[in-house]
Every structure is written in structure tokens, then in C-alpha cells.
Amino acid sequence: MTGHKPDFADLLTLDSVDRDIFRGLCHAGAPMRAFGGQVAAQAQVAAGRTVDPDRRMHSLHGYFLRPGRTDSPIVYLVERIRDGRSFTTRRVSAVQDGETIFSMSASFQLPRDAEETHQLRAPDVPGPENLPRWWEPIDEAPEFRPFLLIDIRSSRSPAGRTDGSRATDGTGRATGSPEAASAAPESTAGDGMPRQNVWVRVDQTLPDDPLLHVCALTYLSDLTLSSTAYLPYAGLPGRLDIVSLDHAMWFHRPFRADDWLLFAQDSPSAGGGRGLSRGVFFNQDGQAVASAIQEAGLFRR
């Protein structure tokens, strides 16, 4: 594919329409459907534009209510819920053609030092420099042009399973026969959860704006998280559609989204047509910098 790479920051750029009202456009994901990670990240940008710059976003909780389209602008309406001495709260509604397609609450905090600290240990996986780029369709399909700004690396599980992970062929699809796939939940080692570990980063240098890096990580998290719940069923007959229902994130420590981050993901449950996935981002020093949880609809055709 040839042509000029756009700046990743352009994907999150919003126009100011009025006080607490912003407007943005989304690139194509599924045919004519806006990529949910971009909608959530733009909503974060809108919220952050109404908050003092010395405050840092530490959490968000969002619901995907309707699919967004790529041929019409999205308007972001920000409500100023609270401005406290330490914490600031905002609510954002993403509206397209008069209908709310996404709703989010976000909380910001004035940074402070605290003695209390503990964190999950990072899994022992190969580093990104020893792994191939993972999502080959990114390089082949024109509709994924914006994803050329993203680098994703994945360790390919050997036949069988490692640390309870589902064996994959490197694209998220399960290896082996449909019969083996159907038996995977029962034969998975340990606690029975499907797992995947991927290294991600924005594949260009970003400005030193902490809000941009937080929003970029939300964008990155939506690329692979819901597919974790899908892993045990990938080899079964028929087509399984995955639709994000809600998304929550917590930001624990400073990080840069243009540095390699390990996204360790698992899925503790799937049932009732919904799959729950969760993940923790680690920097290359092994520090847990952010957590994410998402529930997605799993619909077989």
C-alpha cells in the first residue's frame, strides 16, 4: 500500500462547536461502521478539553448504544458533573443524526504521591523485538489504512496450550479442527480461561500530551480485547459476529502509547450471547500502567 501515513493524532482531532460541544469524524472499520475504539477515544478528548490540564484521567466507563457511521460527523456533548479539589467528573454523549450512539463517564484526578503501591506481575512472554507483526490484514485491506499507524506483535502459542492460553495461528483464529475447538474450554489448563498476550504501540512518535496517550491507549485496547472471549469458538462452523457493548478502563501509572506495551488479556466468562474480556497493560519495565474490561455480544450466523 502506498501513500502518505496520516498522523495518529489526526484520528482524535475534534472541532470546537460551542462551549462543551465538539465534533469529529471516524474512519471506516466494518463497512460504514465507525470503529468503537475511536469513538471512545474522541469522547475522552472531548471530556479532557473541559478539564484543567493539570488533572489526569484515571478512569472511564462507556456504553456502545448504537453503531456509528463513517459518512456523518459525530457530535460530542460534555456535561460538567463535578469539579472538586482532587477529582473532576465529566459525562459525554456521542450523538449522530439526533441519536446517542455512545455514552461515557470519565474521572480526572490531580496527581499525587502515595506510599501505598502494589501491582500484578507481568507475564513472562517474548519481547516485541523477537516477534513478527501480527495482524496481516492491516497491511492488505485499504479500509484498515489508519491501522498502519499501529504495530501489534503476538507470541504464537505452540500446539496445545501455554499457561492456559488457547493455541492460535497468529491471527486470533484457533488452530486444529472444529472438534478440538469445541473441546477447548474443558481442556484448557489451569483455571480454564482463554488468554492472549500482545504487544501494542502507536507506530509513530506522539506529542508529549498525557491526555493524548491515555486516549490512544483506549483506541489500542479495543483492537484485540473482545476477541479474547471469541478464542475458544473461532474454529466452530458459522460466522461469529462480535459487537462491543461496554468498555471500562483505569489508568494506574504514567506511560507513553508510542512505547511498547504488553496487553495481557483473558476472558473469565461467556454466556447468554455475551463474552467478558479483561486485560492489563504493562510497560517494558514490567509496571502495570492500565487495566481494561469489555463485554461484547457474540452472535453466531
Side-chain angles (χ1 to χ4, degrees):
M1 185 181 300
T2 60
H4 171 67
K5 274 190 182 182
D7 289 332
F8 182 87
D10 292 343
L11 302 178
L12 307 183
T13 297
L14 300 179
D15 296 325
S16 179
V17 177
D18 205 336
R19 184 179 188 266
D20 299 344
I21 302 176
F22 305 89
R23 181 174 54 218
L25 289 168
C26 285
H27 64 71
M32 299 304 294
R33 178 179 292 179
F35 173 54
Q38 187 180 18
V39 175
Q42 288 187 351
Q44 287 177 271
V45 172
R49 294 266 291 268
T50 71
V51 174
D52 290 340
D54 61 344
R55 305 211 167 195
R56 301 288 184 262
M57 183 179 291
H58 72 88
S59 69
L60 70 88
H61 300 260
Y63 287 88
F64 296 98
L65 305 176
R66 296 178 177 87
R69 301 198 326 276
T70 60
D71 61 348
S72 178
I74 299 173
V75 175
Y76 297 90
L77 309 176
V78 182
E79 296 179 66
R80 302 185 183 226
I81 304 301
R82 180 174 183 267
D83 288 289
R85 288 186 297 177
S86 297
F87 290 89
T88 296
T89 306
R90 295 290 185 261
R91 182 181 296 126
V92 184
S93 297
V95 178
Q96 191 172 54
D97 297 331
E99 294 188 321
T100 301
I101 64 171
F102 179 74
S103 177
M104 183 191 77
S105 295
S107 183
F108 299 76
Q109 181 188 19
L110 189 66
R112 55 168 297 199
D113 294 326
E115 295 180 359
E116 301 82 13
T117 179
H118 69 271
Q119 64 177 39
L120 180 69
R121 181 180 300 172
D124 185 13
V125 299
E129 64 279 355
N130 299 317
L131 299 172
R133 189 167 179 155
W134 176 48
W135 204 356
E136 289 87 353
I138 293 176
D139 297 316
E140 300 170 1
E143 63 268 26
F144 285 115
R145 178 186 174 89
F147 293 123
L148 290 173
L149 302 168
I150 308 299
D151 202 352
I152 305 177
R153 308 286 173 111
S154 174
S155 56
R156 303 189 177 195
S157 301
R161 290 157 186 84
T162 301
D163 298 328
S165 298
R166 184 72 199 276
T168 70
D169 64 1
T171 64
R173 295 189 297 269
T175 58
S177 65
E179 292 77 15
S182 63
E186 290 74 30
S187 61
T188 301
D191 52 22
M193 288 192 292
R195 287 182 167 84
Q196 64 175 340
N197 298 302
V198 299
W199 289 94
V200 297
R201 69 174 177 181
V202 175
D203 197 18
Q204 58 181 211
T205 302
L206 296 177
D208 295 331
D209 178 3
L211 177 64
L212 176 61
H213 289 265
V214 164
C215 297
L217 195 64
T218 298
Y219 184 109
L220 293 173
S221 71
D222 196 39
L223 291 172
T224 63
L225 189 56
S226 62
S227 67
T228 309
Y230 160 79
L231 289 177
Y233 318 102
L236 297 178
R239 173 183 172 184
L240 188 68
D241 288 338
I242 303 176
V243 179
S244 299
L245 301 176
D246 57 18
H247 196 98
M249 292 196 70
W250 295 264
F251 306 99
H252 312 308
R253 295 170 178 84
F255 62 87
R256 292 190 64 92
D258 51 5
D259 287 339
W260 284 115
L261 297 168
L262 174 63
F263 195 16
Q265 303 156 73
D266 62 36
S267 176
S269 177
R274 304 184 313 277
L276 182 68
S277 301
R278 60 189 183 181
V280 179
F281 287 93
F282 298 90
N283 62 22
Q284 288 190 281
D285 293 327
Q287 292 181 311
V289 299
S291 298
I293 295 181
Q294 183 180 88
E295 191 169 47
L298 305 176
F299 307 102
R300 186 163 299 280
R301 292 184 178 181

